[in-house]
Amino acid sequence: MKKLILETPAGTPPHCKIWAKEAAQEMLSMFPEYKSSFQIEFDDCHPKNKSEISVAEYTALPNDELKSKYFKLPNGRYLVPYASEAWFLAVASEQNKAKGINAVDMEHYARLKAEKMVRENSQDLVVTLLNQTIEPKFYGYGIEKLNSVISLENCTDKELFITIFIHEFGHILNATHAARSHIKEDPDLGVHCTNNKCIMGESGFIGLTQERLDRKQKGQPPFCDECIASMRETLENMPGLVKAVTITHQNNLPVLPHNNDNWKDGWRQHLKAVAARENATYNEDLKNQNFVADITHADGSKLNIEANNEYNLSLGAQNANGEDDIPSIKDFSNIVAKAVKDNCQIEFANIEDDEFKARLLIACLESSPRVKTKGAPHISKEFLQNLDAKTKTRLQRALGPQNSNQGNNRPTNPRRRQTRPNNFPRGRGRS
């Protein structure tokens, strides 16, 4: 589980906390395969340890690099490095105050926050809401794979705030990394997308906000495909995250934002291959905004598939007489096979039918390599009593004597993950 920490120091307006959570949820919803791997938490930045020491205590400290970071207060006492919001504000304001400016340097503040994360080897992602006067004037600053800071000084509008939040989070996820095309680098503003309709562009946040709202109304994400691909690449190599294909049996999935229908190609190709291999008939509703298809088997039974993104599927079935049924274990196995290929685990959504859950679990257990699951049913006596006799026997055989509890598990064959680099990354977006 990866924590997304929303830092809200003392003085943060309550409505900004609400906006921040809404923005975080909107951002994470664009990556459904990882959404359940994130846990959103608030932190009021209250000191967890001793944050201030006396002159005598300071004098007794070893003369090392950390001692040079203590900040001397007018009363002679010292603020402990990284231990309190007072220290971050004092150090980030020091150069401005020397010039007679009573304001925080937001870039310096953001990098101090990132330094703390690196020193503590934190695997969290952090967004800080800074409710202070800042100089130079920027809306936000993001540092790849670590944190971002959003200035509340001029963010009095909710939609503008959400735009800035999503943009800066895009910098955390390295949306405009130097190795990709269609980016431009400004000495003052950092690296941004050349697509001015993409939220990672630099055409101005007022314009980007209107563009985001227009795209949202059209059912499109605020990012261009290149930025989404860059962020997915970052997420795939981020410790603490596990990709998941979520399975449900609800009908009429809501339509989610997409720039085009290219996301359907993976399931289309996979299911066409399944149908050809099994001498079955593949049919797809090309007019539907979601991916809606079915496979009709030789005996007349049918598997129905609906998806509103690559990682969220609804499955149903009819028997040879056209009556509603539960997909067979073989049908589930064909779906699980693609999850194996894509290095995903299977996540059980809110499924009410125990037989449905059992057959899906069997497919996961019998796959090679075995697919781990999230939200799988607890195998109790009561659960087994609700199953078809053949399903019950096969499930018990698949579980085996050592594997009777299939709770929240990690994938058997996870992709190799990169750890956070020891060297301090440079900021990717001052906005």
Side-chain angles (χ1 to χ4, degrees):
M1 183 67 72
K2 172 77 72 175
K3 289 184 180 180
L4 168 55
I5 308 295
L6 302 178
E7 288 192 343
T8 55
T12 301
H15 66 269
C16 289
K17 298 179 183 181
I18 297 172
W19 294 352
K21 188 170 184 178
E22 287 183 23
Q25 291 171 335
E26 183 173 333
M27 180 70 185
L28 296 179
S29 70
M30 297 178 211
F31 304 97
E33 68 271 39
Y34 296 112
K35 188 177 179 182
S36 63
S37 288
F38 277 96
Q39 179 177 326
I40 301 174
E41 294 185 1
F42 285 95
D43 185 345
D44 63 5
C45 299
H46 186 76
K48 308 296 188 297
N49 301 302
K50 190 174 183 179
S51 60
E52 190 176 312
I53 62 173
S54 66
V55 175
E57 289 173 304
Y58 174 79
T59 303
L61 292 172
N63 291 317
D64 56 12
E65 181 264 345
L66 185 60
K67 184 175 183 177
S68 67
K69 295 181 179 294
Y70 279 75
F71 185 88
K72 188 175 183 180
L73 295 168
N75 62 7
R77 293 176 65 82
Y78 288 83
L79 292 174
V80 178
Y82 311 107
S84 66
E85 188 67 10
W87 181 85
F88 286 107
L89 293 173
V91 176
S93 304
E94 194 170 16
Q95 291 186 3
N96 274 335
K97 286 191 174 180
K99 302 173 186 177
I101 303 170
N102 187 25
V104 179
D105 184 322
M106 185 170 61
E107 178 181 345
H108 193 184
Y109 176 88
R111 296 183 72 81
L112 290 172
K113 291 276 185 174
E115 281 180 13
K116 178 186 178 183
M117 295 176 68
V118 173
R119 291 178 68 89
E120 296 176 351
N121 195 28
S122 171
Q123 298 302 309
D124 302 331
L125 300 180
V126 178
V127 178
T128 307
L129 307 187
L130 181 60
N131 192 33
Q132 304 284 336
T133 301
I134 63 169
E135 183 64 40
K137 302 293 184 185
F138 293 101
Y139 282 113
Y141 188 84
I143 298 175
E144 62 189 58
K145 302 177 185 177
L146 287 169
N147 71 318
S148 68
V149 176
I150 298 172
S151 170
L152 301 182
E153 191 173 11
N154 298 311
C155 287
T156 56
D157 176 77
K158 176 182 178 180
E159 297 301 339
L160 175 62
F161 173 93
I162 291 176
T163 297
I164 295 166
F165 186 106
I166 293 175
H167 176 100
E168 297 305 338
F169 206 104
H171 283 302
I172 293 179
L173 297 186
N174 214 6
T176 54
H177 63 78
R180 56 159 281 194
S181 58
H182 302 109
I183 56 171
K184 56 183 176 181
E185 183 166 8
D186 184 280
D188 295 321
L189 297 177
V191 185
H192 289 91
C193 183
T194 58
N195 184 341
N196 286 329
K197 294 186 179 297
C198 174
I199 201 169
M200 295 309 296
E202 57 177 30
S203 59
F205 276 118
I206 303 299
L208 287 175
T209 297
Q210 187 57 55
E211 180 64 34
R212 177 180 69 83
L213 294 174
D214 290 345
R215 291 171 69 85
K216 189 174 183 178
Q217 191 172 23
K218 296 174 185 176
Q220 298 174 341
F223 294 95
C224 69
D225 284 341
E226 282 189 88
C227 284
I228 290 174
S230 297
M231 290 186 287
R232 276 215 160 94
E233 181 183 356
T234 298
L235 289 166
E236 285 177 359
N237 293 285
M238 189 171 283
L241 297 182
V242 178
K243 276 202 299 187
V245 173
T246 301
I247 306 294
T248 181
H249 64 166
Q250 73 180 81
N251 294 318
N252 300 318
L253 293 176
V255 175
L256 297 180
H258 298 282
N259 286 324
N260 49 55
D261 284 344
N262 294 343
W263 63 273
K264 298 180 180 180
D265 289 344
W267 284 108
R268 179 181 293 128
Q269 294 169 9
H270 177 76
L271 294 171
K272 281 185 175 181
V274 168
R277 185 174 66 245
E278 298 183 357
N279 294 318
T281 302
Y282 173 86
N283 180 64
E284 182 181 343
D285 180 1
L286 297 175
K287 294 182 180 180
N288 202 302
Q289 287 180 275
N290 285 340
F291 175 76
V292 178
D294 59 67
I295 293 178
T296 303
H297 302 292
D299 64 356
S301 63
K302 183 182 293 186
L303 171 68
N304 302 312
I305 309 100
E306 182 178 6
N308 54 10
N309 59 59
E310 306 98 309
Y311 304 96
N312 191 44
L313 271 67
S314 174
L315 302 178
Q318 283 90 42
N319 61 23
N321 297 321
E323 301 165 331
D324 286 343
D325 201 358
I326 296 171
S328 68
I329 295 173
K330 187 174 184 181
D331 285 332
F332 280 122
S333 296
N334 288 328
I335 297 298
V336 169
K338 187 174 186 303
V340 172
K341 181 180 178 182
D342 294 342
N343 195 36
C344 293
Q345 70 177 9
I346 294 293
E347 182 170 346
F348 288 62
N350 296 323
I351 301 168
E352 296 180 1
D353 193 291
D354 287 344
E355 182 73 18
F356 187 106
K357 290 186 281 189
R359 293 184 187 184
L360 175 56
L361 180 55
I362 291 169
C364 294
L365 295 171
E366 291 182 347
S367 70
S368 181
R370 175 177 286 193
V371 170
K372 295 296 182 176
T373 62
K374 184 171 185 177
H378 174 68
I379 310 304
S380 64
K381 181 179 179 180
E382 292 75 14
F383 178 80
L384 293 172
Q385 287 176 341
N386 292 330
L387 306 182
D388 174 84
K390 290 183 179 179
T391 302
K392 175 182 175 181
T393 300
R394 188 163 172 178
L395 176 59
Q396 290 175 318
R397 184 170 65 246
L399 286 169
Q402 303 299 322
N403 300 286
S404 60
N405 186 3
Q406 294 295 315
N408 296 345
N409 301 308
R410 295 183 178 181
T412 310
N413 185 28
R415 180 173 298 184
R416 189 176 181 86
R417 307 279 182 197
Q418 295 179 357
T419 56
R420 194 185 303 288
N422 291 325
N423 58 312
F424 188 74
R426 68 193 184 107
R428 300 298 295 174
R430 175 190 269 173
S431 307

